[in-house]
């Protein structure tokens, strides 16, 4: 009796939503599972069943390849990351393995403005304060939806996009992060990227091509930019310029999680401020390394190995896999493969 009454209520709702089929649906007495399957008809391909993401969020990620979570990192934590970054730039702390990168326009000019010249730091896995970002429970809670419970932090960055020098070199060309990674499967890799201040088109926000994570890894090369391109800032050689682009406007603390095949980049910084974001690429510890010989990734392997060899190699040969094995850190569960 109760069931008939709720079916009648449902019939009324369905008729409102869909006047033509509402009555027919009522005579069929849909179960709640059937109702759910109308709204979410297929299983999800890119996230795991762990009840953390809503069906709407899982559907959004499946379709778009990214998911933006508002206000995930507190202002106090961001302040601490800022302070630590300043200390690193001022050389008050030395971090083993850390790479400090200057914008190409600044690095190649004679006027170097000290810490103001730093465009990003990479590989801060040995810095306890910055690495806290990669272990934050509220971030890992989401990461686990993509990687599963055994989680490696593979690549860390604090990006300090400088005011553009006039050469447009502050742009980051459109690319897929998987180009840099010799591990798979891609679906078990995810980037977390947190805005450390409001980021919009004026200071060079992330630009994404929604849905491109469903495609394959594309050939990447240096873009043909007159004003110069930063070292290793490869871009997708050919992508459909007519695909819709979405500019991700984010407030301080907002965090976007995105798939490593999602084509993305960032525009130039037209402001006088240094636009800051902190990020970590995570992978399931169960991922495996691949040999990139004979693939489109050979060009980046060559550049990375050359730099690593110069910095650390001496006479021992270093492989691309080595450079990742030494940087990866377990942040949850068990270190199995990577
Ligand atoms: C998913 C994720 C991985 C995606 C990405 O992050 S994509 C971008 C990845 N980029 C990188 O990994 C770049 C890492 N950067 C570095 O390793 C360093 O910054 C280096 C480029 C090696 C330079 O460092 P370092 O050697 O300490 O700097 P020096 O001032 O001594 O310069 C040595 C030679 O490098 C040049 N250089 C420095 N910074 C840049 C730059 N931004 N772009 C292009 N060339 C650059 C510099 O002019 C100098 O060249 P020469 O005078 O020897 O010809
Ligand atoms: N000629 C180009 N080739 C490859 N990538 C480009 C080119 N021009 C811009 N991009 C990249 O496209 C992305 C966004 O560009 P977009 O035009 O949205 O930014 P912008 O020009 O800096 O700012 P806006 O358009 O908001 O004024 C950035 O990653 C940028 O580096
Ligand atoms: O501009 C940014 O902060 C994004 C940079 C980026 O996509 C990358 O380093 O892989
Ligand atoms: Fe990227
Ligand atoms: Mg533009």
């Amino acid at each position: 009796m109760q069931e008939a009454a709720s079916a009648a209520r449902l019939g009324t709702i369905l008729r409102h939503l869909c006047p033509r089929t509402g009555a027919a649906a009522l005579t069929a007495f849909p179960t709640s599972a059937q109702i759910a399957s109308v709204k979410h008809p297929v299983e999800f391909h890119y996230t795991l069943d762990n009840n953390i993401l809503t069906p709407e969020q899982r559907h959004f990620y499946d379709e778009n390849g990214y998911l933006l979570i508002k206000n995930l990192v507190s202002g106090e934590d961001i302040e601490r990351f800022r302070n630590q970054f300043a200390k690193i730039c001022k050389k008050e702390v030395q971090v083993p393995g850390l790479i400090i990168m200057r914008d190409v326009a600044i690095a190649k000019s004679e006027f170097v403005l000290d810490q103001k010249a730093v465009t990003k730091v990479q590989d801060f896995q040995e810095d306890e304060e910055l690495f806290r970002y990669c272990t934050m429970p509220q971030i890992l809670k989401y990461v686990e939806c993509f990687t599963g419970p055994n989680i490696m932090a593979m690549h860390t960055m604090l990006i300090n996009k400088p005011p553009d020098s006039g050469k447009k070199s502050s742009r980051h060309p459109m690319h897929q992060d998987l180009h840099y990674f010799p591990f798979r499967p891609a679906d078990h890799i995810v980037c977390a990227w947190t805005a450390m201040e409001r980021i919009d088109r004026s200071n060079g926000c992330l630009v994404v091509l929604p849905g491109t994570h469903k495609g394959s890894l594309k050939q990447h090369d240096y873009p043909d930019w007159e004003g110069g391109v930063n070292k290793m800032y490869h871009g997708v050689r050919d992508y459909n310029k007519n695909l819709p682009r979405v500019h991700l406007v984010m407030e301080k603390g907002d965090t976007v999680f995105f798939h490593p095949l999602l084509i993305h980049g960032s525009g130039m910084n037209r402001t006088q401020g240094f636009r800051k974001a902190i990020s970590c690429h995570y992978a399931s510890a169960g991922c495996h390394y691949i040999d990139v010989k004979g693939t489109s990734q050979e060009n980046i392997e060559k550049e990375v190995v050359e730099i690593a060899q110069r910095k650390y190699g001496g006479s021992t040969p270093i492989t691309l896999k080595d450079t990742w094995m030494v940087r990866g850190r377990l942040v949850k569960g068990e270190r199995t493969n990577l």
Side-chain angles (χ1 to χ4, degrees):
M1 193 57 220
Q2 242 184 4
E3 202 170 341
S6 61
R9 258 199 313 279
L10 181 66
T12 313
I13 296 167
L14 286 174
R15 270 190 299 275
H16 274 290
L17 291 174
C18 187
R20 252 160 20 97
T21 57
L26 176 67
T27 53
F29 282 109
T31 63
S32 55
Q34 283 172 322
I35 294 162
S37 77
V38 169
K39 224 169 138 203
H40 306 291
V42 283
E43 58 191 54
F44 300 108
H45 288 104
Y46 292 93
T47 52
L48 303 170
D49 292 306
N50 61 7
N51 286 318
I52 288 165
L53 301 179
T54 65
E56 287 76 14
Q57 288 174 319
R58 297 182 70 184
H59 180 68
F60 188 91
Y61 191 85
D62 265 11
E63 289 303 309
N64 296 286
Y66 69 95
L67 182 65
L68 205 162
I69 307 293
K70 304 287 294 170
N71 199 21
L72 196 60
V73 178
S74 74
E76 295 83 75
D77 281 318
I78 288 171
E79 198 53 34
R80 285 176 62 177
F81 301 144
R82 268 183 183 275
N83 292 341
Q84 187 66 8
F85 175 70
K87 280 188 186 164
I88 291 171
C89 293
K90 285 187 256 172
K91 302 252 154 56
E92 288 172 19
V93 286
Q94 293 276 332
V95 183
L98 184 95
I99 291 176
I100 296 183
M101 177 163 164
R102 288 170 186 79
D103 185 85
V104 59
I106 303 168
K108 294 198 183 285
S109 111
E110 22 185 330
F111 308 105
V112 174
L113 298 141
D114 199 30
Q115 73 263 30
K116 286 219 163 169
V118 176
T119 230
K120 69 171 165 179
V121 297
Q122 290 190 154
D123 303 333
F124 55 67
Q125 65 279 351
E126 285 302 306
D127 185 85
E128 206 179 307
E129 182 67 358
L130 290 184
F131 195 70
R132 257 180 358 94
Y133 171 74
C134 309
T135 64
M136 295 184 127
Q138 72 270 38
I139 301 259
L140 292 179
K141 179 183 107 176
Y142 285 101
V143 169
E144 186 162 352
C145 302
F146 309 99
T147 61
N150 298 315
I151 309 176
M152 295 286 293
M154 296 301 286
H155 186 252
T156 55
M157 282 188 285
L158 195 155
I159 306 133
N160 186 49
K161 190 192 275 288
D164 198 87
S165 65
K167 295 185 182 293
K168 299 189 181 176
S169 56
S170 67
R171 289 179 301 176
H172 199 129
M174 300 302 274
H175 65 282
Q176 297 166 303
D177 289 344
L178 195 68
H179 175 60
Y180 297 88
F181 303 150
F183 39 90
R184 299 292 186 274
D187 293 348
H188 294 175
I189 303 172
V190 72
C191 177
W193 188 100
T194 300
M196 294 175 67
E197 60 197 288
R198 183 186 156 86
I199 301 182
D200 57 25
R201 291 178 82 155
S202 68
N203 56 2
C205 61
L206 282 185
V207 182
V208 302
L209 306 186
T212 49
H213 66 301
K214 295 179 197 169
S216 55
L217 180 59
K218 309 270 188 288
Q219 176 74 46
H220 286 62
D221 305 296
Y222 282 110
D224 193 7
W225 288 352
E226 272 174 32
V229 186
N230 279 309
K231 182 80 175 158
M232 290 189 224
Y233 277 36
H234 295 185
V236 175
R237 184 187 286 178
D238 299 304
Y239 62 92
N240 182 353
K241 300 275 193 301
N242 298 318
L243 286 175
R245 24 168 77 196
V246 172
H247 289 80
L248 297 182
V249 174
M250 294 167 67
E251 300 297 331
K252 183 185 197 174
D254 292 356
T255 301
V256 62
F257 296 89
F258 64 90
H259 190 281
L261 283 169
L262 183 74
I263 299 180
H264 65 285
S266 58
M268 71 183 200
N269 181 358
R270 295 184 169 85
T271 70
Q272 289 310 303
F274 288 74
R275 163 304 233 168
K276 288 182 180 57
I278 186 165
S279 84
C280 180
H281 286 88
Y282 299 91
S284 161
C287 285
H288 58 272
Y289 287 102
I290 58 158
D291 187 349
V292 302
K293 291 259 161 356
T295 74
S296 63
Q297 291 178 265
E298 253 185 357
N299 60 358
I300 191 70
E301 173 179 48
K302 186 162 175 280
E303 285 193 50
V304 171
V305 167
E306 258 170 32
I307 290 181
Q309 195 75 43
R310 220 181 311 139
K311 264 179 107 169
Y312 304 108
S315 53
T316 351
I318 293 179
T319 66
L320 185 61
K321 176 178 170 182
D322 296 332
T323 70
W324 288 99
M325 282 186 70
V326 298
R327 283 181 289 178
R329 295 287 180 277
L330 187 72
V331 288
K332 189 164 184 195
E334 222 185 310
R335 186 164 186 170
T336 48
N337 270 342
L338 293 182

